[in-house]
Amino acid sequence: MIWWTSLPSRARSERLAIAELEDRCAWLDKVSWRLTKDLTLCADFEIDRNGKGIPLTIAYPSFFPDMPPQVRPREKVRLSGHQYGAGGELCLEYRPDNWDPSYTGAMMIESAFRLLAGETGPPGEEAGVPDAHRTTLGQDIRNTNLRFVLPEDARGALAKIPLAKIVDAEIVEHFAAERWLAHPWRIGSEGEYWDAAGRMPKFRIRKGVFVRLDASFIRKVKAEYDFVDAIISVAGRADLSERLVQSADELVVIVECDGTVKMMSLSAGEGRRSVYDYRTVCAPNAADRLPQAYKRLAQASVAVVGCGSAGSKIAASLARAGVGRFVLVDGDVLFAENLVRNDLDWTAVGLNKPDAVKARIVELNPSAAVRSFRVGLGTQESSTQTDAALVAIGGCDVIIDATAEPQVFNLCAAAARNEKKTLVWGEVFAGGIGGLIARLHPNRDPIPHAARRQIHQWCDDRGVDPPPGSAVQYRLDLPDGAPPVIADDADVTVIASHMSRMVLDALTSEETHYPQSAYAIGLKTGWIFEAPFDTWPISLVPEGEWGPERDANLTEELEALASELFPGAEDAGKKS
């Protein structure tokens, strides 16, 4: 974008304003305009500072006048304490956070003069300009590659450890986005001072020591070999002394001094060697970001049958909400081609889908208990394995069928009916035209097979055949040689999110917020949908009895079965 080609009048007014400023102010001199190779409009000028001309440049950015121009020295020098590094732009009174399009480059130049003049005091005296610039934590650490993320409660725990007491410490660390990120894991040999187990994923664990020092040592706390050597010497521990001399692993040293916590890491090797300095990032107090009713989710259990595109997203969403127990069932393997619609990434390619989703859940909610069954329901599997999976499924509070496979639905429906558990299912129509979601409460809604039949009847009553479900790979073939329409990740995400919403409603609300038990949701114009997000509630009527099927004459049948299985047992009972 070259702003001055569409606003030449503004460019001319900028030139005029700076020319008038040069005529009016003796401190401004040698203004000359130019275009850079990328057609950025710039003006070179000098500002008088104690009789010496300071060469500067004002450059108008691509999004001027919505963004302020930048003023910087023409040489790689540090002119001010309010500057983004040597040769960097000056931090002036007008910045992106308070800029108005009516402001001008002449005002920026005047601000630069006030800054430089204000920092020029009498000989031998320091002068300063009040700092109005407030940086965010993200700005402060964006160029830091080694980070030690310290939670608020960990800081409080460390401050209670006696001075000069050296205790064992463990951190967990991983590499992400070209940054090494470390977190405290345990402080104390058994985590007696602080323990993060169950609150964060167990990345690579590294061991070391923690020590609190008196405030008088504040200037001596440095990420240097001599300081680490002094700490280990004071500890008087042979194991640490051996690691100081030679170690195949890095040795972590965490120091708290006068309220400041610093982590350093002695590199692997032998003898005098490098010490890595980590930037401590103090995490804020944990905020309650979920509704109060969600606290009960820690004890809730859900079964996710089908860990593909929809199932992986539902599982991740429920983990974020705080669901504490999962049963995952899927017999498939994740391949690279699945990533276009799956919540997982390349690190899971080649894994069985339930194992991969289990790892994802634990990443999001480390305290979650997850059982995974690498079993394809309705496929050629061991009856023993299938039965074990169904028993686990039936033991959950909510059963989710995310497969869109009729055979799988039949098994999930049987488990839900027999165990009187809420069933949620859904499917994405081919081509991403829309989808269907449904939730059945025991003793309130029709039994699953009856509900599915009622939904099919509702679709038939529309007079137009619905598009097939996700079991046909989300693709809809169109007539007349038109290219097929394929559902994308956004289509699947919408339907999966609605299913997650129904699950959370069932787990957190005594009375449902949904007036109907099933909905057809449009994402594109087609079938019965007149526009995206055209939603059709589907009214279901109670039908059938929840619970296992029972013989009408249950007692008599049980007695007859017992006599067949254990002949003579009745006579033996009479004799005794």
Side-chain angles (χ1 to χ4, degrees), residues 256-276:
E256 194 272 347
C257 186
D258 196 26
T260 299
V261 179
K262 187 179 185 65
M263 173 184 157
M264 56 196 78
S265 180
L266 178 66
S267 62
E270 58 183 33
R272 190 180 187 88
R273 51 199 188 274
S274 301
V275 177
Y276 300 114

Side-chain angles (χ1 to χ4, degrees), residues 380-460:
Q380 188 173 353
E381 285 278 7
S382 160
S383 296
T384 302
Q385 289 182 310
T386 300
D387 188 62
L390 285 172
V391 170
I393 291 169
C396 294
D397 299 317
V398 175
I399 300 170
I400 305 164
D401 174 15
T403 66
E405 294 279 1
Q407 288 179 302
V408 177
F409 174 83
N410 289 337
L411 292 172
C412 290
R417 176 182 177 176
N418 291 343
E419 301 298 332
K420 295 185 178 182
K421 298 298 177 65
T422 298
L423 175 65
V424 174
W425 85 91
E427 57 186 62
V428 181
F429 294 146
I433 289 176
L436 171 75
I437 60 171
R439 177 232 54 233
L440 304 176
H441 280 298
N443 302 326
R444 196 187 311 175
D445 292 307
I447 60 174
H449 289 94
R452 191 173 182 87
R453 186 172 59 253
Q454 291 183 30
I455 292 173
H456 284 167
Q457 184 60 52
W458 182 91
C459 293
D460 292 341

Side-chain angles (χ1 to χ4, degrees), residues 236-570:
R237 285 173 44 177
D239 60 324
L240 296 177
S241 298
E242 289 177 5
R243 294 188 66 183
L244 184 70
V245 173
Q246 180 176 356
S247 176
D249 300 312
E250 296 180 17
L251 175 65
V252 174
V253 177
I254 304 170
V255 179
E256 194 272 347
C257 186
D258 196 26
T260 299
V261 179
K262 187 179 185 65
M263 173 184 157
M264 56 196 78
S265 180
L266 178 66
S267 62
E270 58 183 33
R272 190 180 187 88
R273 51 199 188 274
S274 301
V275 177
Y276 300 114
D277 190 9
Y278 282 66
R279 167 69 181 268
T280 299
V281 180
C282 293
N285 287 323
D288 193 356
R289 297 174 180 266
L290 292 171
Q292 188 69 22
Y294 280 38
K295 292 187 181 301
R296 69 178 70 172
L297 294 178
Q299 303 303 318
S301 59
V302 297
V304 181
V305 182
C307 296
S309 299
S312 64
K313 297 176 188 298
I314 294 168
S317 180
L318 298 179
R320 291 187 179 95
V323 171
R325 292 182 290 164
F326 290 84
V327 170
L328 308 176
V329 182
D330 197 308
D332 205 358
V333 175
L334 184 80
F335 292 111
E337 64 182 22
N338 302 129
L339 298 182
V340 296
R341 283 185 290 262
N342 205 288
D343 189 71
L344 304 175
D345 56 39
W346 261 98
T347 60
V349 171
L351 290 175
N352 291 79
K353 287 181 179 179
D355 294 338
V357 173
K358 176 179 179 178
R360 179 67 172 143
I361 289 172
V362 174
E363 284 179 350
L364 297 169
N365 183 2
S367 63
V370 188
R371 295 180 65 191
S372 60
F373 290 84
R374 296 181 288 274
V375 174
L377 294 186
T379 64
Q380 188 173 353
E381 285 278 7
S382 160
S383 296
T384 302
Q385 289 182 310
T386 300
D387 188 62
L390 285 172
V391 170
I393 291 169
C396 294
D397 299 317
V398 175
I399 300 170
I400 305 164
D401 174 15
T403 66
E405 294 279 1
Q407 288 179 302
V408 177
F409 174 83
N410 289 337
L411 292 172
C412 290
R417 176 182 177 176
N418 291 343
E419 301 298 332
K420 295 185 178 182
K421 298 298 177 65
T422 298
L423 175 65
V424 174
W425 85 91
E427 57 186 62
V428 181
F429 294 146
I433 289 176
L436 171 75
I437 60 171
R439 177 232 54 233
L440 304 176
H441 280 298
N443 302 326
R444 196 187 311 175
D445 292 307
I447 60 174
H449 289 94
R452 191 173 182 87
R453 186 172 59 253
Q454 291 183 30
I455 292 173
H456 284 167
Q457 184 60 52
W458 182 91
C459 293
D460 292 341
D461 292 344
R462 307 282 73 77
V464 182
D465 290 338
S470 60
V472 294
Q473 301 300 315
Y474 306 97
R475 167 174 167 158
L476 181 63
D477 291 316
L478 300 178
D480 302 325
V485 180
I486 301 176
D488 62 14
D489 185 71
D491 299 323
V492 178
T493 298
V494 171
I495 303 304
S497 295
H498 284 305
M499 292 174 66
S500 299
R501 179 70 265 157
M502 278 189 154
V503 174
L504 292 173
D505 175 77
L507 291 173
T508 60
S509 305
E510 299 299 330
E511 296 294 330
T512 179
H513 294 92
Y514 290 89
Q516 303 297 338
S517 297
Y519 295 86
I521 302 168
L523 300 177
K524 299 180 177 70
T525 302
W527 187 38
I528 61 173
F529 305 122
E530 297 180 357
F533 305 113
D534 182 12
T535 301
W536 291 68
I538 303 175
S539 180
L540 303 179
V541 296
E543 180 182 350
E545 183 178 350
W546 287 81
E549 295 187 49
R550 296 175 182 272
D551 287 325
N553 52 341
L554 180 60
T555 302
E556 293 82 355
E557 289 293 334
L558 279 174
E559 290 177 351
L561 177 61
S563 64
E564 292 174 5
L565 293 175
F566 309 105
E570 185 177 351

